[in-house]
């Protein structure tokens, strides 16, 4: 699909998605590979390695608990006051997160480090949940309004590719600043970029005209609370009654549990296992490799959907997307299980560790756009108003899993953290197999009903 042949309105949607995902990717790269080691080393200096790991995973748990608590309500806020303003507030909170994080390097007492960590996690929790689901909902509904014949997977996979490209630059800079003992410089750069993205979104994002959002003069706490309650009720009912949406959400939440544990703890493992003089080259090399394989995953989906559109002249079939989703989930789970077993046996696992991490990260480039496309295909058209809320349940489940299971999944120390990774990997393996069975059964049931000439009911858009 050539974007140059599309209408200016569709190209504008793509431009907004490209810029926003680019800023998200760059700022994510700045912190994601360094914040865990930053807190772990700071807390270890003040206390002990075991206490440092415990408190680092505690902050990780606080981070996920906040996301679990805020995810669905903030999704409902996006469906109430508008996706544009919710995305803007997301970047405002993201700016606050980086500003607070920049002070951690200068803290020298346990209470101050913990206080800064908790404040940073609160700011990030609001930032993440305001953006999660809401921006994808804006992309999907804008595309449905301007060009309903174009599949969401094409736009979303290309946007993720830009996200990963930007993460490469942000990740390298973030690690370099960290290894030079000036991580706060990277955090301040990220804060400035967030301010720029706020200005960009205010000027370029337009609300979808066929959806109804509260106007500013109508906004009050009572009105917002009532509207959020209505949207939450409707969104939860759709989520509860659709076996396909439930299965997709469980698979996605389980995978995100794996990738979050890996993302936040592999630098801690590397810091513990690799000699100090070799850490810069190993660390930067693995950061670049991770982001390149993630980009390769999303680009693979882009090429496939482009081929599908060219061959069939239609959106990518849901069955094909399901196979990509389930197959890639298994591809991510099995290497991590093998790595955990090898570590448990006391073997030298560095290269197995590298391969398992790269497998998990390659999967992300495929799973994220596949999931977001599939779940939006299954959301009934007459419930587009609740789209952001329904999509928030996946992130809520992921956060709940991490909140309750982060400590056992993190292991007892940096050098043995990979043993605990077996827990999220096993959960992903089970949910992928069960989810595949549930979705296939639902699709087969609808196909048989349609063949008998009976109007299908239940899960929408299963064909």
């Amino acid at each position: 699909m050539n974007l140059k042949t599309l209408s200016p309105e569709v190209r504008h949607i793509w431009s907004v998605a490209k810029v926003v995902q680019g800023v998200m990717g760059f700022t994510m790269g700045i912190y994601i590979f360094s914040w865990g080691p930053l807190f772990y080393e700071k807390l270890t200096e003040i206390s002990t390695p075991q206490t440092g790991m415990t408190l680092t995973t505690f902050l990780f748990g606080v981070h996920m608990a906040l996301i679990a608590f805020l995810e669905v309500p903030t999704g409902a806020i996006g469906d109430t006051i508008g996706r544009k303003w919710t995305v803007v507030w997301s970047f405002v909170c993201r700016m606050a997160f980086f500003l607070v994080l920049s002070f951690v390097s200068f803290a020298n007492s346990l209470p101050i480090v913990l206080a800064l960590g908790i404040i940073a996690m609160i700011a990030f929790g609001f930032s993440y949940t305001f953006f999660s689901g809401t921006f994808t909902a804006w992309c999907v509904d804008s595309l449905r309004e301007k060009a309903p014949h174009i599949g969401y997977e094409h736009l979303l996979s290309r946007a993720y590719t830009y996200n990963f490209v930007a993460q490469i630059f942000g990740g390298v800079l973030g690690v370099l600043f960290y290894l030079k003992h000036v991580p706060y410089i990277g955090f301040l750069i990220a804060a400035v970029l967030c301010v720029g993205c706020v200005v960009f979104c205010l000027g370029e994002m337009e609300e979808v005209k066929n959806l109804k959002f509260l106007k500013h003069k109508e906004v009050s706490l009572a009105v917002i609370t009532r509207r959020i309650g209505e949207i939450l009720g409707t969104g939860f009912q759709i989520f509860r009654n659709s076996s396909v949406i439930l299965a997709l959400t469980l698979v996605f939440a389980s995978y995100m549990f794996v990738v979050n544990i890996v993302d936040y703890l592999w630098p801690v493992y590397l810091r513990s296992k690799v000699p100090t003089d070799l850490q810069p080259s190993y660390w930067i090399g693995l950061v670049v490799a991770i982001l390149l394989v993630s980009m390769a995953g999303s680009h693979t989906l882009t090429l496939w959907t482009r081929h599908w559109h060219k061959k069939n002249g239609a959106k990518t079939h849901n069955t094909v997307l399901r196979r990509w989703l389930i197959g890639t989930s298994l591809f991510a789970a099995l290497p991590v299980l093998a790595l955990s077993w090898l570590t448990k046996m006391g073997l030298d696992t560095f290269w197995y560790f590298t391969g398992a991490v790269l497998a998990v990260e390659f999967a992300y480039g495929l799973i994220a756009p596949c999931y977001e496309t599939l779940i939006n295909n299954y959301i009934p058209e007459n419930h587009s108003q609740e789209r952001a809320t329904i999509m928030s349940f996946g992130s809520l489940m992921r956060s709940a899993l991490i909140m309750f299971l982060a400590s056992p999944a993190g292991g007892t120390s940096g050098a043995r953290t990979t043993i605990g990774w077996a827990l999220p990997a096993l959960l992903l393996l089970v949910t992928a197999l069960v989810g595949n069975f549930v979705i296939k059964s639902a699709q087969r049931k609808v196909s048989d009903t349609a063949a008998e000439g009976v109007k299908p009911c239940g899960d929408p858009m299963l064909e």
Side-chain angles (χ1 to χ4, degrees), residues 149-229:
H149 61 285
I150 298 176
Y152 317 136
E153 71 281 358
H154 193 75
L155 171 65
L156 296 176
S157 61
R158 294 191 69 173
Y160 272 105
T161 299
Y162 274 81
N163 183 295
F164 294 130
V165 170
Q167 273 195 60
I168 293 176
F169 296 100
V172 171
L173 277 178
V175 171
L176 285 174
F177 286 134
Y178 176 77
L179 293 176
K180 295 293 184 181
H181 306 291
V182 287
Y184 55 87
I185 295 179
F187 300 146
L188 292 175
I189 291 173
V192 172
L193 280 176
C194 290
V195 174
C197 204
V198 167
V199 176
F200 175 82
C201 292
L202 287 172
E204 298 297 326
M205 286 185 71
E206 298 177 359
E207 294 289 7
V208 180
K209 294 181 174 60
N210 58 8
L211 297 179
K212 296 180 180 179
F213 301 111
L214 294 178
K215 297 179 180 179
H216 292 293
K217 62 182 180 181
E218 300 173 333
V219 174
S220 67
L221 182 59
V223 171
I224 291 178
T225 301
R226 183 171 63 251
R227 180 60 180 147
I228 288 175

Side-chain angles (χ1 to χ4, degrees), residues 366-385:
L366 280 157
I367 288 177
C370 274
Y371 162 75
E372 291 181 357
T373 300
L374 279 168
I375 199 165
N376 278 293
N377 284 345
Y378 292 132
I379 293 174
E381 187 174 353
N382 62 328
H383 286 291
S384 295
Q385 187 75 53

Side-chain angles (χ1 to χ4, degrees), residues 51 97 101 184 220 249 333 403 408 438:
T51 302
F97 163 73
L101 212 57
Y184 55 87
S220 67
T249 302
M403 179 174 62
V438 170

Side-chain angles (χ1 to χ4, degrees), residues 13 22 46 78 95 106 110 138 153 174 179 195 229 244 246 268 297 336 342-343 376 401 433 445 456 462:
I13 296 170
I46 300 168
M95 175 200 65
F106 305 100
L110 185 61
W138 179 86
E153 71 281 358
L179 293 176
V195 174
V244 173
L246 176 60
V268 175
V336 176
L342 290 170
T343 306
N376 278 293
L401 288 173
L433 293 174
K445 180 179 179 181
L462 286 165

